Amino acid sequence: MVHVDRFAVTHIEDQEGRSVSLPRRSGVRHSFGAAWRFLGAGMVLAAALLLAGAPGAYAQQGERTQFRPGWNIFSPQQDVQVGQKAAQDAEKKLPLCNDPKVDAYLTQLGKRLAAKAPTGGVQYPFEFHCVNDKAINAFALPGGYVFVNRGTIEAADNEAQLAAVMAHELSHVALRHGTSQASKAQAVSLPIAILGGILGGSAMGSLVTQLGAFSVGSVLLKYSRTAETQADVMGTQILYDTGYDPRAMAQFFEKLEAESKGKNPPEFFSDHPSPEHRVERVDEEIDRLGGPPSNAHRDSPEFQAIRHEVLALPVAPSAKDKRGAPGGGEAGKPSAPSGRYAAYQGSAFSLKHPDNWKKYGEGQAVSFAPDGGVAQDRNGQDALAYGMIINVADPQGDPTAVNALEESTHRLLDELQNANPGMRIARQPQRVRLNGQRALSTYLSNDSPLGGQETDWILTVLRPEGLLYFICVAPEREYGNYDSAFVNVLDSVRFAR
Ligand SMILES: [Zn+2]
């Protein structure tokens, strides 16, 4: 876990009179990748053949499309049992946000939506959790245990879009897609027992237990494209009935698809396969409902406050059970930072770094990286994927002004963002101390040259030679393995005077 406050007590131990002339160009480029991506490169969203709204899946009554849950060997009460067990297991296996404000917000939003979900009179317990995973995804377990990744909250433009994802999930619950899917899977392995209706109480009990072990590829979360269409359409109705702009459903999915063109689709689509004509089907349902209401609710200050809260959350130390997203290659990972430290003495400062990190750059700004820490980005350029870059930028305005550090840091961040279109500020600059000097600590989220996202932690400090900055880089998923090494290196920094 990242706590910058540790720097507040860095001991002061200035070294004697070395003059300072830190160079301007780094040996390793700060090439943080290109556009903001959800996952690695490659796959295009190729919608497979779909029997859109398969006949018999729903019947039409009046204007609004009506659905009923599919064939199911479980009772709604067993949905709750299965879901409760699986949710307890998921809570152990997944990194949760553990932010009471975020959970309270999700719960009040989720309950308002759930109140409009047609459950056929069944009272599901409905619980809502925030998962500390920046992948854009959400899932719902039977019985109403809904998990929303922080990445979904971060990616939503407004409350209606987040509500759309949650309404989609709640529709899977109301339509009992998880246990319906599990029923079909059981029917394949136990056809006679089930079709003969002789599956007794204890057999059902063991099925419930078996399904309650949460796993990545759980049959409970394998939805068909037909189920996806149903969840979209019912979710649109829920949005409408709750007073949200029902167009948000299509807008969010369009946005995800547009932003993932030519790249891997967001993780959401690996759990919720994208049905054909998704947007058209949602639009059609809005027409059936009589069009978007003129005073439909789109956003709230609460949502924007929660979104900022979530953006500022530290990344999870490690995803204990990375849900099965494609493309997260683990090959060629550098070895972990050594616990032994080697000394580096520059003209402007000294520091200690893990002794399995090499120094890159001579006479110019320096970088430290483990073997395999420098990767080729998409343009074939060397880019730092693991390690630390140290460089100096021109200060902004009068370096003796009170806010010179803030202004210079903001300009540096602007420049970095201009050069890296995918870069976003995950946590605004906060005051810390570095070797007794005022410094600012900022967290950024960016594309890793290895694919996926990386976390960039930047410390800036004004020195006679300019704005000295330290960028600590690691893939987001592994950042927790590097955090303490970064902290130790920064704690060891001693300025030359
Ligand atoms: Zn879905």
Side-chain angles (χ1 to χ4, degrees):
M1 203 65 69
V2 176
H3 285 299
V4 292
D5 298 347
R6 278 177 277 179
F7 286 106
V9 289
T10 301
H11 7 268
I12 301 173
E13 192 187 303
D14 280 348
Q15 298 193 349
E16 298 283 324
R18 307 185 72 100
S19 77
V20 282
S21 60
L22 236 183
R24 305 288 154 118
R25 301 256 176 264
S26 77
V28 173
R29 291 174 61 248
H30 306 170
S31 165
F32 308 99
W36 183 39
R37 291 185 292 155
F38 300 103
L39 288 167
M43 272 165 65
V44 179
L45 290 167
L49 182 67
L50 161 78
L51 304 171
Y58 56 85
Q60 284 160 25
Q61 280 179 12
E63 290 299 305
R64 173 181 297 225
T65 307
Q66 304 275 326
F67 298 104
R68 52 178 187 272
W71 179 71
N72 206 315
I73 60 170
F74 299 88
S75 66
Q77 289 67 37
Q78 283 168 328
D79 271 34
V80 177
Q81 285 175 27
V82 167
Q84 192 175 36
K85 280 201 170 69
Q88 284 167 356
D89 205 22
E91 284 180 52
K92 280 187 222 133
K93 288 175 176 166
L94 299 175
L96 297 181
C97 296
N98 291 319
D99 184 322
K101 270 191 258 180
V102 177
D103 288 337
Y105 170 80
L106 286 181
T107 300
Q108 63 84 16
L109 173 59
K111 296 236 171 187
R112 267 193 291 137
L113 296 164
K116 302 293 181 185
T119 59
V122 184
Q123 298 276 328
Y124 291 113
F126 292 117
E127 280 182 14
F128 300 87
H129 303 273
C130 172
V131 182
N132 194 342
D133 186 337
K134 280 182 168 279
I136 299 173
N137 207 350
F139 66 92
L141 294 165
Y145 303 86
V146 180
F147 292 77
V148 180
N149 279 6
R150 67 183 286 182
T152 303
I153 301 171
E154 292 171 1
D157 294 328
N158 53 47
E159 186 167 84
Q161 289 185 1
L162 175 62
V165 173
M166 294 173 77
H168 174 105
E169 296 303 330
L170 290 167
S171 302
H172 284 309
V173 174
L175 290 165
R176 308 185 55 215
H177 285 148
T179 49
S180 175
Q181 206 57 39
S183 300
K184 288 172 198 156
Q186 286 302 322
V188 175
S189 58
L190 296 168
I192 298 163
I194 288 172
L195 296 179
I198 55 169
L199 204 58
S202 66
M204 280 308 288
S206 77
L207 260 185
V208 166
T209 306
Q210 199 185 313
L211 287 169
F214 175 78
S215 74
V216 168
S218 171
V219 66
L220 297 174
L221 303 175
K222 284 200 191 307
Y223 304 127
S224 64
R225 287 187 163 79
T226 305
E228 286 306 306
T229 297
Q230 292 182 354
D232 282 353
V233 171
M234 184 179 278
T236 302
Q237 296 168 353
I238 293 172
L239 282 182
Y240 182 90
D241 292 343
T242 320
Y244 284 104
D245 188 337
R247 290 170 294 191
M249 180 70 73
Q251 281 160 2
F252 189 72
F253 291 127
E254 272 181 324
K255 173 186 157 86
L256 289 195
E257 299 210 11
E259 291 184 31
S260 64
K261 277 280 183 287
K263 303 167 186 170
N264 266 0
E267 194 175 296
F268 187 85
F269 293 137
S270 63
D271 284 353
H272 304 265
S274 196
E276 233 174 28
H277 309 303
R278 170 164 232 167
V279 170
E280 290 81 351
R281 186 63 190 86
V282 167
D283 286 345
E284 186 194 322
E285 191 64 21
I286 294 171
D287 286 344
R288 287 174 196 238
L289 292 166
S294 53
N295 57 348
H297 196 49
R298 293 188 58 76
D299 205 4
S300 74
E302 291 76 21
F303 169 76
Q304 293 300 341
I306 287 298
R307 189 169 173 273
H308 279 105
E309 175 97 10
V310 167
L311 281 167
L313 284 176
V315 293
S318 65
K320 282 172 255 172
D321 177 16
K322 182 64 191 160
R323 306 191 60 241
E330 299 284 297
K333 259 204 295 192
S335 47
S338 162
R340 290 191 307 266
Y341 283 75
Y344 165 76
Q345 178 70 61
S347 54
F349 62 88
S350 64
L351 57 71
K352 297 190 172 81
H353 59 85
D355 68 2
N356 62 341
W357 290 9
K358 281 195 285 209
K359 178 169 78 75
Y360 293 81
E362 276 300 343
Q364 300 286 334
V366 289
S367 299
F368 297 93
D371 272 339
V374 179
Q376 301 241 301
D377 69 14
R378 266 188 261 195
N379 306 318
Q381 306 269 14
D382 281 344
L384 192 98
Y386 298 81
M388 191 181 278
I389 296 164
I390 306 165
N391 205 344
V392 69
D394 291 326
Q396 174 79 348
D398 175 9
T400 60
V402 243
N403 58 350
L405 173 61
E406 280 72 15
E407 289 205 2
S408 301
T409 299
H410 279 293
R411 174 153 133 193
L412 172 68
L413 295 173
D414 283 348
E415 285 174 0
L416 288 171
Q417 287 186 285
N418 284 338
N420 300 279
M423 181 178 268
R424 294 189 307 155
I425 295 179
R427 189 198 278 174
Q428 292 293 333
Q430 297 189 332
R431 289 181 184 183
V432 293
R433 291 208 167 254
L434 184 64
N435 187 206
Q437 308 278 304
R438 276 187 66 216
L440 288 175
S441 154
T442 310
Y443 283 87
L444 303 167
S445 168
N446 193 21
D447 301 326
S448 169
L450 302 172
Q453 293 285 297
E454 69 181 17
T455 297
D456 301 320
W457 179 26
I458 305 196
L459 261 87
T460 45
V461 58
L462 273 179
R463 299 291 303 158
E465 62 273 18
L467 182 73
L468 180 62
Y469 60 94
F470 300 76
I471 309 184
C472 305
V473 181
E476 190 181 278
R477 259 185 267 168
E478 291 169 73
Y479 193 81
N481 303 330
Y482 284 79
D483 183 34
S484 63
F486 293 148
V487 170
N488 289 340
V489 174
L490 290 167
D491 260 333
S492 76
V493 169
R494 297 294 176 271
F495 294 117
R497 63 176 184 80

